[in-house]
Amino acid sequence: MIRVFIGYDPNETVAYHVCAHSILTRSSHPVSITPINLGNLREFNRGKGDGSTEFSFSRFLTPYLAGYNGLALFMDCDMLVRCDIAEVFDFYEGGNDVHVVKHDYTPKTEVKFLGNKQHLYPKKNWSSLMLFNCSNFPCKKLNPDKVMRATGKYLHQFEWTTPERIGELPKEYNHLVGEYEPNPDAKIIHYTLGTPCFKGYENQEWADEWYQELRDMNYAAGLSDRMYPFQAEVDA
């Protein structure tokens, strides 16, 4: 069983479901998808009302939610998976605590979707997709109390582990739309500035493929994408 945890924010409900659908329809293995939703974590409320997504810190609860056992993948909800998600797990190398795409870039904008501030810090976006070995001791440090109290630097700059235990994933598995040059071979698309469902981002790179995934999802559910107000705005 492949275990995937996706960050959930009430402002990005559609993005979450499109991301999950893109995983389910391409996976070659049984896959379990769990939203990390603060509404289900009553004892943990860090991330609410701080000007970022609600899963900005709760993402680090992935090893805890996975029972500190085996491999588990965390990913932001503003992603579209174009490959078999099992490919990511195939990159795991024994001994590492976590695998990430090691981005090295300076954001091009100061503001993201919904007016959210673009924060600048080392290892920017490394934590947007993390393949954990939840069984390893450093991952077991990431309990709810620690994640609730630790600094953002400690968490997002991976001070809970050591550099030599951070494995690397190819950049294609976390392609940053609007930050990197277009890549037709990208495996996982990350709309880090704003998912196409938000006004102002509906015509960015890979937006058409995101909308097609939305249509496919709605068709499978017997729904119409016209049910979503933003879709009408885009069509207009």
Side-chain angles (χ1 to χ4, degrees):
M1 175 71 73
I2 289 176
R3 296 180 297 172
V4 179
F5 293 80
I6 302 177
Y8 178 85
D9 187 294
N11 291 316
E12 299 183 81
T13 298
V14 176
Y16 166 82
H17 287 289
V18 170
C19 179
H21 184 267
S22 70
I23 295 169
L24 288 169
T25 56
R26 294 169 178 82
S27 179
S28 61
H29 292 65
V31 58
S32 167
I33 297 178
T34 302
I36 299 184
N37 176 12
L38 292 187
N40 306 139
L41 297 167
R42 302 298 183 183
E43 73 284 4
F44 188 95
N45 59 12
R46 188 177 186 185
K48 276 187 175 289
D50 66 354
S52 59
T53 59
E54 287 195 0
F55 50 87
S56 55
F57 295 103
S58 59
R59 68 186 66 218
F60 293 102
L61 294 177
T62 296
Y64 163 75
L65 295 172
Y68 298 117
N69 182 47
L71 300 180
L73 179 69
F74 169 84
M75 58 195 305
D76 284 3
C77 66
D78 55 352
M79 291 183 170
L80 179 73
V81 177
R82 305 178 69 237
C83 65
D84 181 351
I85 198 66
E87 292 180 20
V88 179
F89 288 76
D90 288 341
F91 283 103
Y92 177 74
E93 297 176 355
N96 289 325
D97 300 321
V98 65
H99 284 66
V100 299
V101 174
K102 297 182 178 181
H103 303 286
D104 183 13
Y105 77 106
T106 300
K108 297 178 181 178
T109 64
E110 295 182 359
V111 179
K112 303 193 295 182
F113 67 99
L114 299 180
N116 289 331
K117 181 177 174 57
Q118 179 75 273
H119 297 284
L120 301 178
Y121 52 85
K123 298 183 175 64
K124 176 75 174 178
N125 257 313
W126 284 29
S127 62
S128 60
L129 187 145
M130 300 179 282
L131 177 63
F132 292 95
N133 183 343
C134 306
S135 303
N136 284 5
F137 174 74
C139 293
K140 293 180 179 179
K141 298 178 186 177
L142 300 175
N143 57 63
D145 183 66
K146 185 71 171 181
V147 176
M148 190 73 178
R149 300 175 186 276
T151 65
K153 180 175 178 289
Y154 176 85
L155 295 170
H156 288 280
Q157 294 186 35
F158 297 83
E159 293 181 359
W160 46 271
T161 181
T162 54
E164 66 273 12
R165 295 174 68 93
I166 304 174
E168 186 164 10
L169 297 172
K171 193 177 292 185
E172 291 79 13
Y173 289 90
N174 194 347
H175 174 73
L176 305 181
V177 174
E179 301 289 3
Y180 290 158
E181 292 299 315
N183 179 7
D185 298 321
K187 303 282 191 177
I188 297 179
I189 307 301
H190 186 184
Y191 305 94
T192 182
L193 301 179
T195 316
C197 58
F198 290 110
K199 191 171 183 178
Y201 300 95
E202 60 269 27
N203 295 313
Q204 63 186 312
E205 180 197 5
W206 295 110
D208 289 346
E209 195 157 325
W210 187 90
Y211 279 115
Q212 185 59 55
E213 193 73 33
L214 172 65
R215 285 189 287 270
D216 292 345
M217 179 183 74
N218 287 337
Y219 178 79
L223 302 174
S224 167
D225 50 51
R226 298 291 300 186
M227 295 176 66
Y228 297 102
F230 65 80
Q231 183 69 40
E233 293 181 9
V234 172
D235 290 345

